[in-house]
């Protein structure tokens, strides 16, 4: 299976490439008043209205300023298109199913519950993101 | 599969319509066109269900067909009980198809099948000759030819499949391979079955058939190709011949066209902006020409949009057609007598809108039967005709379509409303402010019934009705009169997509306010604002106008300004002043709906783009004005 690798707060994550509709640079995100904390706002992406989840905020990190390297990964989850805001996105790799292991209990990070597995690529550790979990368990309104 | 659902839907609708028309006709003329259509629809439904391998639907349709055949042949009367059985069959069919579409567990429909079986077999007993299996009335003999092909094999259909199917519906006397003129091979069965419809359903599996003619072996049977049609097809076998002047278009394709036209509108407004900027650099003669072209283009764009919009308009009647069935069904279940009067079926409305309005209208009709219309005894005691009337009416008013659902029942029990509502409803002179009444009955979870029932569930219905109407840019109103009845009016825009809007800035955000809701834009001196509890009021035109500061509502940062601008929206008691920093002007905007729950917040109805690629939120004026009326409650909660 092929994956797209992206970075959030110094960690490398992967999503299955068929689930990614496209990746774009971020120009302007319109904030949505009273939306949940992790929801950065909303953008038009190829004519579609797409909500943007800030993965840093989602994983409990400080938000970072949007810069040249920031990328929006528009992913398909069921019938929904949702944008995931990542610090950077660069690689397209093939990861064999055999090299993906279940996430160990040791990953105490908040993102631990949104992982489908952990893969080792050479000397790098890549966390396989469970997109469904990230999208569907994001609260829908501000607390 | 979508094709299947669309087609199945049409057949189901036709089945119900026909059944309703046959209500009260004990022995319909066997050649009656209604019966013919009914039969045809069941038959087609069976065929297409078999094609998509929805076995449950196929079986149900098959049994309905058998019952109908009995009626056509005059062996069974179409009395009330049998009509009920057929209606139950149609319901079960729909349940199966809906479950498949929603991906739910398929209901077995066993009850309905058993009832249909009983109805069809009652027939057989009434005709002893058939039961005894005499040759005259016994299974008909058919020559059935199957021509295998790679396509069929790919679909898993081989000669064994056909053999199995034939054995299911009858028996096989003999089978022999035949060589076709082109060198191919065909299998020829001599089969006996009285289920010709099932044979016909095999047509798409490369099967042709004709009445069996005993031939002497020496004469041989000339081999036929698969394209040969069986001799003398019946009228109902040619059901799918559609009228020639219509094209069925996937709504998504029209949406694409509408989107492209919308993109053009955005591009033209960019062009317009650029033109304004270069005005002083271009000789005025040339500039005038440019402007003329620009204006011409605007007009043509408008025509194009209207043209596309007209294609999307469909008669409201398509939705109304379901209503008699729903009303009759429910009235029957709860033992009431109700007649439904429908008017304005030819009123046209956007297909997208009406599809979304289907459930709300159904819900209001169910409410009218369940809660509005009284029981026969109650009606007679009140000196009313025993049969209640529900009127469903649609009409076009300017750029809007008004759909009304009125009953002549008992009216809404205002005392019960006052008792149950938390909103402090006061009944004065036997009436209640209709807007407040609507707020109460649309409150999520509100029901005057003690127990949830199948008619309206747990009171979530009206809340959904209202939010659906408002999401579509419409309004919902209610009028009720004790003892006289209740009327719900839904006002909807003819179409969605493109509207006129006022563009305003608040802090660094831009909002669009639909122009249809805007009364005026006024300048406000902040010192003139009076605070009243949590609200601010402005005396304007002799009335107290509630003020909403968008920066507070949406938690935006702004710098204090000596003068503010307020956009006055809504009328009468719904009027509201939206305070903004600056009003940028008036634009035509392309409305995109916000569907994703992550960004579906109260006070925002959609999104648009103004030509610079930035997304701008469209304010939901109705929700904002409701918000201010509800705010004191929020305040209480916060201080508690």
């Amino acid at each position: 299976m092929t994956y797209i690798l992206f970075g959030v707060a110094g960690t490398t994550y992967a999503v299955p490439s068929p689930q990614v509709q496209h990746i774009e640079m971020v120009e302007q995100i319109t904030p949505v008043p009273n939306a949940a904390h992790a929801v950065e706002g909303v953008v038009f992406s190829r004519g579609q209205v797409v909500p943007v989840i800030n993965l840093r905020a989602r994983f409990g990190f400080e938000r970072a300023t949007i810069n040249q390297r920031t990328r929006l990964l528009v992913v398909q989850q069921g019938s929904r298109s949702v944008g995931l805001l990542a610090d950077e996105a660069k690689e397209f790799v093939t990861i064999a199913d055999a090299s993906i292991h279940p996430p160990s209990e040791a990953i105490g990070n908040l993102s631990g519950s949104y992982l489908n597995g952990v893969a080792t690529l050479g000397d790098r550790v890549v966390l396989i993101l469970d997109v469904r979990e990230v999208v569907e368990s994001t609260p829908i309104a501000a607390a | 599969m979508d094709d299947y659902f669309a087609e199945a839907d049409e057949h189901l609708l036709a089945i119900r319509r026909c059944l309703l028309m046959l209500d009260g006709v004990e022995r319909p003329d066997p050649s009656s066109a209604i019966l013919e259509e009914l039969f045809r629809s069941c038959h087609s439904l069976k065929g297409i269900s078999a094609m998509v391998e929805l076995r449950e639907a196929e079986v149900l349709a098959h049994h309905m067909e058998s019952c109908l055949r009995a009626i056509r042949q005059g062996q069974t009367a179409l009395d009330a009980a049998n009509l009920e059985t057929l209606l139950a069959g149609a319901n079960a069919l729909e349940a199966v198809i809906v479950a498949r579409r929603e991906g739910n567990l398929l209901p077995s429909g066993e009850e309905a099948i058993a009832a249909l079986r009983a109805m069809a077999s009652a027939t057989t007993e009434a005709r002893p000759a058939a039961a005894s299996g005499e040759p005259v009335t016994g299974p008909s003999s058919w020559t059935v030819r199957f021509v295998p092909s790679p396509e069929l094999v790919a679909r898993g259909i081989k000669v064994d499949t056909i053999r199995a199917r034939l054995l299911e519906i009858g028996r096989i006397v003999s089978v022999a391979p035949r060589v076709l003129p082109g060198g191919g091979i065909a299998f020829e069965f001599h089969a006996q079955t009285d289920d010709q419809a099932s044979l016909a359903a095999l047509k798409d599996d490369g099967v042709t058939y004709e009445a069996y003619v005993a031939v002497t072996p020496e004469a041989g049977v000339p081999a036929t190709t698969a394209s040969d049609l069986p001799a003398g097809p019946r009228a109902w076998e040619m059901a799918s011949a559609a009228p020639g002047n219509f094209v069925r278009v996937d709504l998504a394709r029209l949406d694409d066209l509408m989107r492209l036209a919308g993109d053009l509108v955005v591009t033209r407004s960019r062009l317009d902006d650029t033109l304004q900027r270069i005005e002083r650099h271009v000789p005025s003669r040339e500039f005038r020409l440019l402007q003329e072209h620009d204006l011409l283009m605007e007009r043509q764009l408008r025509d194009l949009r209207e043209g596309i919009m007209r294609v999307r308009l469909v008669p409201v009647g398509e939705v109304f057609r379901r209503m008699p069935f729903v009303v009759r069904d429910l009235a029957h279940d709860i033992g009431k007598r109700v007649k439904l009067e429908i008017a304005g079926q030819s009123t046209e409305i956007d297909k997208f809108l009406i599809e979304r309005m289907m459930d709300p209208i159904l819900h209001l009709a169910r409410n009218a039967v369940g809660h509005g219309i009284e029981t026969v005894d109650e009606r007679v005691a009140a000196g009313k005709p025993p049969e209640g009337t529900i009127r469903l009416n649609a009409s076009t008013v300017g750029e809007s379509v008004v759909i009304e659902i009125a009953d002549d029942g008992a009216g809404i029990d205002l005392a019960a409303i006052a008792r149950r509502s938390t909103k402090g409803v006061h009944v004065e002179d036997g009436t209640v402010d209709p807007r407040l009444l609507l707020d109460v009955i649309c409150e999520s979870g509100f029901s005057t019934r003690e127990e949830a029932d199948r008619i309206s569930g747990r009171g979530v219905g009206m809340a959904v009705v209202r939010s659906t109407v408002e999401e579509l840019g419409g309004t919902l109103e209610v009028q009720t009169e004790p003892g006289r009845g209740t009327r719900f009016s839904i006002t909807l825009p003819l179409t969605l997509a493109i509207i006129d809007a006022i563009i305003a800035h608040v802090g660094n955000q831009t909002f669009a306010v639909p122009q249809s809701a805007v009364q005026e834009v006024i300048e406000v001196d902040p010192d003139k604002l009076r605070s009243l509890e949590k609200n601010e009021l402005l005396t304007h035109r002799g009335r107290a106008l509630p003020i909403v500061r968008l920066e507070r509502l949406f938690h935006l940062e702004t710098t204090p300004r000596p003068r503010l601008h307020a956009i006055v929206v809504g009328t009468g008691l719904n009027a509201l002043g939206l305070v903004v920093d600056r009003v940028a002007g008036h634009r035509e905007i392309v409305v995109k709906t916000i569907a994703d729950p992550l960004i579906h917040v109260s006070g925002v109805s959609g999104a648009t783009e103004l030509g610079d690629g930035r997304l701008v939120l469209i304010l939901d004026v109705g929700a904002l004005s409701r918000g201010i009326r509800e705010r004191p409650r929020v305040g209480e909660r916060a201080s508690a």
Side-chain angles (χ1 to χ4, degrees), chain B residues 432-440 466 478 572-574 625 629:
Chain B
V432 163
D433 173 6
R435 207 195 58 227
L436 186 58
L437 174 64
L438 192 66
D439 281 355
V440 172
R466 183 185 199 154
V478 62
L573 289 165
N574 281 320
S625 110
R629 272 186 268 130

mmCIF file of all heavy atoms in Angstrom, chain B residues 432-440 466 478 572-574 625 629:
data_model
loop_
_atom_site.group_PDB
_atom_site.id
_atom_site.type_symbol
_atom_site.label_atom_id
_atom_site.label_comp_id
_atom_site.label_asym_id
_atom_site.label_seq_id
_atom_site.Cartn_x
_atom_site.Cartn_y
_atom_site.Cartn_z
ATOM 1 N N VAL B 432 -52.205 32.510 21.012
ATOM 2 C CA VAL B 432 -50.811 32.655 21.419
ATOM 3 C C VAL B 432 -50.084 33.293 20.241
ATOM 4 O O VAL B 432 -50.434 33.043 19.092
ATOM 5 C CB VAL B 432 -50.211 31.260 21.731
ATOM 6 C CG1 VAL B 432 -48.705 31.302 21.744
ATOM 7 C CG2 VAL B 432 -50.739 30.720 23.047
ATOM 8 N N ASP B 433 -49.121 34.113 20.520
ATOM 9 C CA ASP B 433 -48.288 34.673 19.459
ATOM 10 C C ASP B 433 -47.807 33.528 18.563
ATOM 11 O O ASP B 433 -47.113 32.631 19.035
ATOM 12 C CB ASP B 433 -47.106 35.403 20.115
ATOM 13 C CG ASP B 433 -46.082 35.886 19.086
ATOM 14 O OD1 ASP B 433 -46.362 35.756 17.875
ATOM 15 O OD2 ASP B 433 -45.023 36.377 19.506
ATOM 16 N N PRO B 434 -48.202 33.529 17.278
ATOM 17 C CA PRO B 434 -47.911 32.368 16.427
ATOM 18 C C PRO B 434 -46.409 32.078 16.322
ATOM 19 O O PRO B 434 -45.997 30.928 16.177
ATOM 20 C CB PRO B 434 -48.473 32.760 15.056
ATOM 21 C CG PRO B 434 -48.764 34.213 15.121
ATOM 22 C CD PRO B 434 -48.949 34.561 16.559
ATOM 23 N N ARG B 435 -45.582 33.126 16.422
ATOM 24 C CA ARG B 435 -44.154 32.909 16.286
ATOM 25 C C ARG B 435 -43.611 32.148 17.497
ATOM 26 O O ARG B 435 -42.797 31.248 17.387
ATOM 27 C CB ARG B 435 -43.474 34.269 16.163
ATOM 28 C CG ARG B 435 -42.172 34.271 15.420
ATOM 29 C CD ARG B 435 -41.457 35.558 15.705
ATOM 30 N NE ARG B 435 -41.260 35.698 17.118
ATOM 31 C CZ ARG B 435 -41.518 36.806 17.828
ATOM 32 N NH1 ARG B 435 -42.001 37.871 17.236
ATOM 33 N NH2 ARG B 435 -41.318 36.848 19.115
ATOM 34 N N LEU B 436 -44.146 32.544 18.663
ATOM 35 C CA LEU B 436 -43.733 31.883 19.893
ATOM 36 C C LEU B 436 -44.210 30.434 19.887
ATOM 37 O O LEU B 436 -43.492 29.520 20.269
ATOM 38 C CB LEU B 436 -44.319 32.639 21.089
ATOM 39 C CG LEU B 436 -43.870 32.172 22.469
ATOM 40 C CD1 LEU B 436 -42.361 32.270 22.587
ATOM 41 C CD2 LEU B 436 -44.545 33.018 23.548
ATOM 42 N N LEU B 437 -45.452 30.260 19.397
ATOM 43 C CA LEU B 437 -46.015 28.916 19.317
ATOM 44 C C LEU B 437 -45.107 28.023 18.472
ATOM 45 O O LEU B 437 -44.809 26.883 18.833
ATOM 46 C CB LEU B 437 -47.415 28.999 18.699
ATOM 47 C CG LEU B 437 -48.102 27.668 18.419
ATOM 48 C CD1 LEU B 437 -48.358 26.909 19.711
ATOM 49 C CD2 LEU B 437 -49.416 27.898 17.676
ATOM 50 N N LEU B 438 -44.640 28.583 17.361
ATOM 51 C CA LEU B 438 -43.780 27.812 16.474
ATOM 52 C C LEU B 438 -42.469 27.460 17.187
ATOM 53 O O LEU B 438 -41.995 26.331 17.102
ATOM 54 C CB LEU B 438 -43.492 28.630 15.210
ATOM 55 C CG LEU B 438 -42.845 27.866 14.061
ATOM 56 C CD1 LEU B 438 -43.784 26.819 13.510
ATOM 57 C CD2 LEU B 438 -42.413 28.809 12.956
ATOM 58 N N ASP B 439 -41.923 28.438 17.905
ATOM 59 C CA ASP B 439 -40.702 28.176 18.667
ATOM 60 C C ASP B 439 -40.898 26.994 19.603
ATOM 61 O O ASP B 439 -40.041 26.135 19.736
ATOM 62 C CB ASP B 439 -40.322 29.398 19.513
ATOM 63 C CG ASP B 439 -39.633 30.464 18.671
ATOM 64 O OD1 ASP B 439 -39.392 30.197 17.485
ATOM 65 O OD2 ASP B 439 -39.355 31.543 19.208
ATOM 66 N N VAL B 440 -42.064 26.985 20.254
ATOM 67 C CA VAL B 440 -42.313 25.944 21.247
ATOM 68 C C VAL B 440 -42.457 24.581 20.587
ATOM 69 O O VAL B 440 -41.811 23.619 20.989
ATOM 70 C CB VAL B 440 -43.573 26.273 22.073
ATOM 71 C CG1 VAL B 440 -43.937 25.085 22.965
ATOM 72 C CG2 VAL B 440 -43.340 27.516 22.907
ATOM 73 N N ARG B 466 -38.345 22.412 10.853
ATOM 74 C CA ARG B 466 -37.968 23.816 10.825
ATOM 75 C C ARG B 466 -36.527 24.025 10.354
ATOM 76 O O ARG B 466 -36.257 24.879 9.522
ATOM 77 C CB ARG B 466 -38.133 24.424 12.211
ATOM 78 C CG ARG B 466 -37.815 25.894 12.223
ATOM 79 C CD ARG B 466 -37.864 26.416 13.624
ATOM 80 N NE ARG B 466 -38.006 27.852 13.621
ATOM 81 C CZ ARG B 466 -38.558 28.527 14.622
ATOM 82 N NH1 ARG B 466 -39.047 27.892 15.642
ATOM 83 N NH2 ARG B 466 -38.629 29.831 14.576
ATOM 84 N N VAL B 478 -46.966 28.976 11.348
ATOM 85 C CA VAL B 478 -48.096 28.157 11.792
ATOM 86 C C VAL B 478 -49.236 29.065 12.213
ATOM 87 O O VAL B 478 -49.021 30.148 12.752
ATOM 88 C CB VAL B 478 -47.675 27.225 12.952
ATOM 89 C CG1 VAL B 478 -47.228 28.010 14.167
ATOM 90 C CG2 VAL B 478 -48.823 26.290 13.339
ATOM 91 N N GLY B 572 -41.087 43.142 11.623
ATOM 92 C CA GLY B 572 -41.957 43.058 12.798
ATOM 93 C C GLY B 572 -41.208 42.579 14.012
ATOM 94 O O GLY B 572 -40.129 43.075 14.337
ATOM 95 N N LEU B 573 -41.777 41.570 14.659
ATOM 96 C CA LEU B 573 -41.188 41.086 15.903
ATOM 97 C C LEU B 573 -39.881 40.336 15.660
ATOM 98 O O LEU B 573 -39.118 40.102 16.579
ATOM 99 C CB LEU B 573 -42.186 40.169 16.615
ATOM 100 C CG LEU B 573 -43.379 40.919 17.209
ATOM 101 C CD1 LEU B 573 -44.493 39.958 17.560
ATOM 102 C CD2 LEU B 573 -42.948 41.715 18.436
ATOM 103 N N ASN B 574 -39.649 39.935 14.411
ATOM 104 C CA ASN B 574 -38.414 39.222 14.097
ATOM 105 C C ASN B 574 -37.280 40.163 13.731
ATOM 106 O O ASN B 574 -36.183 39.713 13.441
ATOM 107 C CB ASN B 574 -38.643 38.269 12.930
ATOM 108 C CG ASN B 574 -39.344 37.011 13.383
ATOM 109 O OD1 ASN B 574 -39.052 36.485 14.449
ATOM 110 N ND2 ASN B 574 -40.284 36.543 12.589
ATOM 111 N N SER B 625 -31.982 35.647 14.761
ATOM 112 C CA SER B 625 -33.096 36.313 15.422
ATOM 113 C C SER B 625 -33.721 35.388 16.468
ATOM 114 O O SER B 625 -34.183 35.839 17.505
ATOM 115 C CB SER B 625 -34.102 36.809 14.387
ATOM 116 O OG SER B 625 -35.276 36.076 14.424
ATOM 117 N N ARG B 629 -33.840 35.800 20.939
ATOM 118 C CA ARG B 629 -35.028 35.565 21.764
ATOM 119 C C ARG B 629 -34.741 34.499 22.817
ATOM 120 O O ARG B 629 -35.354 34.452 23.851
ATOM 121 C CB ARG B 629 -36.210 35.137 20.889
ATOM 122 C CG ARG B 629 -36.979 36.356 20.376
ATOM 123 C CD ARG B 629 -38.206 35.919 19.659
ATOM 124 N NE ARG B 629 -37.944 35.752 18.241
ATOM 125 C CZ ARG B 629 -38.264 34.682 17.554
ATOM 126 N NH1 ARG B 629 -38.850 33.675 18.138
ATOM 127 N NH2 ARG B 629 -38.018 34.630 16.282
#
